[in-house]
Amino acid sequence: MVKLNPAQQEAVRHLEGPLLVLAGAGSGKTRVITHKIAYLVDEYGIAPSHIAAITFTNKAAKEMKERVGKLVGGRAEGLIVSTFHALGVRILRQEAAAADLKPGFSILDAADTTALFQELAGSIDKGRLHALQSRISFWKNALVDPQAARNEAADESEAVAARLYADYQRTLRAYQAVDFDDLIRLPVMLLTEHEALAQRWRSRLWHLLVDEYQDTNRGQYRLLQLLTQGRDSFTAVGDDDQSIYAWRGADSENLRLLKDDYPKLKVVKLEQNYRSTSRILQAANTLIANNPKLFEKKLWSEHGQGDAIHVQTCRDGDHEAQWVGSRLSAHRFERRTKFSDYAVLYRGNHQARLIEQQLRAQRIPYVISGGQSFFDRSEIKDITCYLRLLANPDDDPAFIRAVTTPKRGIGGTTLEALGRAAGRRHQGLFAAILAPGLDAELNVRQRTALREFSDFINRIAGRAATEAAGQVLNELIKAIGYESWLFESLDAREAEAKWANVRDFVEWLGRKGAEEARTLLELAQSVALLSMLDKNDEGQDAVQLATLHAAKGLEFRHVFLVGVEEGLLPHRDSLEAAKLEEERRLMYVGITRAQASLTVTWCERRKQGREWMPREPSRFIAEMGEAVQKASMQGNTVPDADTARARAAGLRAMLAAKRQ
């Protein structure tokens, strides 16, 4: 307790009823959660297995569990620290029978569900299909079932979505599969409809702690309520000023609902910031004061005033990128800092291209967050689904993707019939192909197509156990005709890019097999870990490039916040009141990532297509108040990379001469 400030101590000690901890940026919220878990175990003797801490990322869960382990040692065994969705999986696995699922049900990822929607929707164009899929996801997160969706459909578009929703759910059930949204929706349904089951889980979980509460959706809030009903023993930790995920279902109204639904709710504010200087916090406080507030909160720090916030006007995007690179290099040389002390943050991924080009030109190492992982690319997932199926024939999502990619005359009707047969026999889809009695459920054409695929996979599996990995994988891809399918399905440029990625993946896996003397089957058995092998930049001395969304939860000594213009931040599609408030919170998140210095840039013009468009500084710059220094590049030149390096070399020579 001596390491905690008074507000943190108050939050840790409160156990009589529900608690909301309003944790401002950099105020030590993770410390509060981990110390409260230790307090429950040490002071109250609560078994760790009766405590659950809920986070929003696996990385945060891992870090939290490690920190609790340092506080309570081996007694942390049995403690549940997981994401909401991982907790949902835990409930569903143990209560599968009540949900009419087999214990080994499959979980479809985003790519699997998109493919399924495309199959069900037929000729609907991609843009409309994406809108329909988003609407269905919204309904699921709001706990609206297909019948209710049909009843409340306000127009023909929503009626189409409701019908697709019903078809989609029937297909999932036939496949004995769930999607990501079901991992919350189905546990809520079980806890609502089965009182004995609900009581069993409430007796298991004596206290729940929820991190990043402002990012919860309505289904997650309902799950929290159901698990704590009767005792109301929970700690919700969040910050209404950092609610920036409405676009993916987060509902900031959950903070208001918490206040309304729990009249005895205690609120503790964490306002002391351990990250940033006072000037940075002054700008953040002044900016966010323009949003309506449910709870008043003002960050403060003991780190002193610090450097003034610098706002730089640039002529265009190229000059902005050049200036950032040159200023970063000079600042690093002057302050004797590391590259990893710096971050360049922006609203959208497309803004990274010019920054990357300049950092490369100026030989500044960098890493990128917020982009797509190599292993998340559709073409890589197409190939890995075959490897997953080789390793585990019961992997239904892998089977579904493999049997339909490339298309081989096996569609939704065939798979739905196979799914029903598999469900009745309590088998996986692949195993059901050879099940006795299937002749009565599928016609000759359907049976023939499925058995040809089954024979092919079994032949490859036999070779994968003994032959060189690269050779077998190359022959598998050739046998399924993947290259020709890409070029027949896509325009030449996109197909070539995807095929190049597949070749890179195959070559990498082939080398890995040769170097480690492992067969393709042995490699396939660890294919689920491949995403963990993706570029790991932790500990690398490099500048961090990231979107503002991806930067949430991180901190850096020195931050460059670029493209702070009307139309970019706030985004041109977010100018209505509610969306504008979220854009302001996004700016607030960007400001509060900075520890020691913050530099904001905007451009007088940017290229849009082939035309130059005039730009205006973001309203958010003015809303930062008096804590900023403004500078213009009008009439100034930006040094090129060679000039910048020459100046740096000159400074180094001067310093060396002085030391002599």
Side-chain angles (χ1 to χ4, degrees):
M1 286 293 183
V2 295
K3 295 181 179 179
L4 305 180
N5 65 40
Q8 291 172 332
Q9 290 184 25
E10 185 181 10
V12 167
R13 287 196 171 105
H14 180 80
L15 293 174
E16 301 303 318
L19 170 68
L20 172 62
V21 181
L22 280 175
S27 63
K29 65 182 178 65
T30 304
R31 182 185 299 178
V32 166
I33 293 172
T34 54
H35 278 70
K36 185 152 193 172
I37 293 170
Y39 188 74
L40 288 165
V41 173
D42 287 340
E43 300 297 325
Y44 271 74
I46 305 299
S49 58
H50 290 304
I51 303 169
I54 312 301
T55 70
F56 270 79
T57 67
N58 291 319
K59 181 180 178 182
K62 180 182 177 184
E63 177 188 341
M64 189 175 292
K65 196 155 192 175
E66 288 173 350
R67 290 175 67 168
V68 172
K70 291 177 181 177
L71 290 173
V72 301
R75 288 170 296 164
E77 193 68 32
L79 172 70
I80 297 174
V81 182
S82 72
T83 63
F84 262 110
H85 292 89
L87 178 61
V89 171
R90 182 187 290 254
I91 295 171
L92 280 181
R93 291 289 185 206
Q94 294 185 32
E95 311 293 351
D100 293 326
L101 291 168
K102 63 182 183 183
F105 66 84
S106 298
I107 302 169
L108 304 190
D109 64 15
D112 294 325
T113 56
T114 297
L116 185 51
F117 273 112
Q118 288 170 341
E119 187 71 39
L120 292 170
S123 59
I124 293 179
D125 67 82
K126 286 185 178 180
R128 189 179 175 207
L129 181 62
H130 177 72
L132 293 172
Q133 192 173 350
S134 296
R135 183 63 193 171
I136 291 167
S137 179
F138 174 83
W139 275 327
K140 284 193 165 192
N141 286 325
L143 306 176
V144 176
D145 64 27
Q147 186 57 52
R150 182 169 293 187
N151 293 341
E152 71 176 37
D155 52 35
E156 179 56 26
S157 176
E158 288 199 352
V160 170
R163 289 194 294 271
L164 182 59
Y165 183 11
D167 290 343
Y168 174 63
Q169 286 305 111
R170 279 195 299 271
T171 306
L172 283 180
R173 185 51 54 97
Y175 290 172
Q176 283 288 291
V178 299
D179 64 15
F180 203 58
D181 297 325
D182 285 329
L183 299 179
I184 304 299
R185 186 183 69 86
L186 290 177
V188 167
M189 182 191 76
L190 292 176
L191 292 166
T192 302
E193 297 177 358
H194 302 272
E195 182 58 28
L197 181 153
Q199 289 294 350
R200 188 162 62 247
W201 280 93
R202 288 172 196 144
S203 66
R204 288 184 191 179
L205 300 177
W206 192 89
H207 195 91
L208 262 67
L209 303 99
V210 180
D211 193 13
E212 304 288 6
Y213 175 78
Q214 77 281 350
D215 294 334
T216 56
N217 60 38
R218 194 57 53 88
Q220 290 162 339
Y221 175 52
R222 184 62 183 145
L223 183 60
L224 170 67
Q225 286 185 303
L226 289 166
L227 287 171
T228 60
Q229 188 172 304
R231 189 184 295 115
D232 297 340
S233 182
F234 64 82
T235 300
V237 182
D239 183 6
D240 49 340
D241 292 332
Q242 296 188 74
S243 179
I244 59 173
Y245 292 116
W247 53 276
R248 70 181 190 195
D251 191 346
S252 57
E253 272 290 285
N254 284 352
L255 280 163
R256 184 188 62 77
L257 286 174
L258 202 61
K259 194 175 181 181
D260 294 345
D261 293 341
Y262 296 93
K264 295 183 179 179
L265 178 73
K266 182 176 179 62
V267 178
V268 174
K269 299 178 185 179
L270 304 184
E271 298 174 293
Q272 182 175 359
N273 176 283
Y274 293 92
R275 176 186 299 159
S276 307
T277 63
S278 294
R279 275 200 176 100
I280 290 170
L281 297 181
Q282 179 188 340
N285 288 331
T286 306
L287 169 86
I288 206 64
N290 290 277
N291 274 0
K293 307 287 285 184
L294 184 63
F295 302 98
E296 287 297 331
K297 181 175 81 283
K298 195 168 185 178
L299 297 179
W300 60 276
S301 167
E302 294 180 342
H303 289 324
Q305 282 291 95
D307 295 344
I309 296 170
H310 185 82
V311 177
Q312 185 73 36
T313 305
C314 303
R315 289 197 301 272
D316 55 39
D318 287 323
H319 279 177
E320 178 183 54
Q322 291 173 15
W323 186 86
V324 167
S326 299
R327 176 60 188 151
L328 192 155
S329 288
H331 190 274
R332 176 177 169 271
F333 179 73
E334 292 163 6
R335 303 292 181 95
R336 296 292 189 270
T337 53
K338 299 181 294 183
F339 285 117
S340 56
D341 290 328
Y342 296 85
V344 182
L345 309 180
Y346 35 79
R347 176 63 174 81
N349 277 310
H350 66 280
Q351 294 172 256
R353 182 177 61 84
L354 293 176
I355 302 293
E356 284 191 79
Q357 289 174 351
Q358 277 302 314
L359 295 186
R360 283 199 300 267
Q362 298 187 37
R363 297 179 184 175
I364 297 172
Y366 67 90
V367 294
I368 299 181
S369 293
Q372 185 185 40
S373 162
F374 179 77
F375 293 95
D376 285 337
R377 298 179 187 275
S378 62
E379 61 273 21
I380 303 304
K381 292 178 80 69
D382 286 343
I383 304 306
T384 56
C385 74
Y386 282 88
L387 301 184
R388 286 165 49 192
L389 190 58
L390 291 175
N392 177 18
D394 291 328
D395 188 334
D396 285 356
F399 169 80
I400 293 165
R401 187 166 187 146
V403 81
T404 57
T405 310
K407 295 187 182 300
R408 47 174 56 84
I410 298 172
T413 303
T414 302
L415 289 175
E416 191 169 349
L418 181 64
R420 286 194 298 268
R424 281 193 295 273
R425 293 168 173 80
H426 304 289
Q427 291 179 304
L429 295 170
F430 187 73
I433 293 174
L434 300 178
L438 197 63
D439 292 2
E441 303 181 57
L442 293 141
N443 62 40
V444 174
R445 183 187 60 79
Q446 292 172 322
R447 294 198 307 272
T448 301
L450 287 170
R451 285 171 181 165
E452 284 178 355
F453 177 76
S454 173
D455 290 344
F456 168 70
I457 292 297
N458 287 330
R459 286 197 306 273
I460 290 291
R463 296 182 57 196
T466 57
E467 299 180 24
Q471 179 182 339
V472 178
L473 185 54
N474 266 308
E475 292 185 19
L476 184 154
I477 291 171
K478 184 177 180 180
I480 65 175
Y482 192 78
E483 180 182 8
S484 59
W485 177 73
L486 280 178
F487 282 90
E488 289 166 5
S489 308
L490 306 168
D491 65 70
R493 180 178 295 181
E494 186 178 1
E496 183 55 50
K498 287 180 178 292
W499 181 238
N501 286 333
V502 170
R503 289 200 308 269
D504 287 346
F505 176 66
V506 172
E507 290 172 6
W508 172 75
L509 209 56
R511 286 196 305 273
K512 188 174 178 63
E515 291 167 0
E516 299 177 9
R518 299 172 72 189
T519 65
L520 185 61
L521 189 60
E522 290 169 331
L523 291 172
Q525 288 166 347
S526 61
V527 72
L529 302 176
L530 287 179
S531 59
M532 296 173 64
L533 299 174
D534 201 5
K535 200 173 182 183
N536 184 352
D537 300 306
E538 291 186 7
Q540 185 175 340
D541 186 22
V543 176
Q544 181 77 59
L545 271 57
T547 63
L548 287 166
H549 286 100
K552 185 169 176 290
L554 304 178
E555 57 185 42
F556 307 93
R557 291 287 298 163
H558 309 288
V559 169
F560 289 83
L561 187 47
V562 302
V564 186
E565 303 152 18
E566 291 292 307
L568 272 179
L569 184 64
H571 192 273
R572 63 180 179 273
D573 295 333
S574 303
L575 299 183
E576 59 188 77
K579 290 183 178 179
L580 184 61
E581 290 169 16
E582 178 151 334
E583 291 289 298
R584 187 175 285 113
R585 293 194 291 268
L586 198 56
M587 179 74 176
Y588 175 87
V589 166
I591 293 170
T592 54
R593 297 313 92 195
Q595 297 172 306
S597 76
L598 174 65
T599 302
V600 176
T601 67
W602 71 278
C603 297
E604 294 176 328
R605 65 173 191 164
R606 271 189 202 275
K607 212 164 192 178
Q608 193 168 314
R610 295 185 178 181
E611 295 184 22
W612 286 101
M613 304 297 291
R615 310 301 293 235
E616 295 291 333
S618 169
R619 68 194 74 189
F620 298 153
I621 293 176
E623 291 177 1
M624 291 165 67
E626 300 300 319
V628 301
Q629 278 186 354
K630 299 182 181 180
S632 172
M633 283 191 54
Q634 190 62 42
N636 296 333
T637 58
V638 178
D640 59 27
D642 291 337
T643 303
R645 284 196 294 272
R647 287 181 182 176
L651 285 170
R652 284 194 293 270
M654 289 170 57
L655 288 171
K658 285 182 180 180
R659 284 196 294 270
Q660 291 175 355

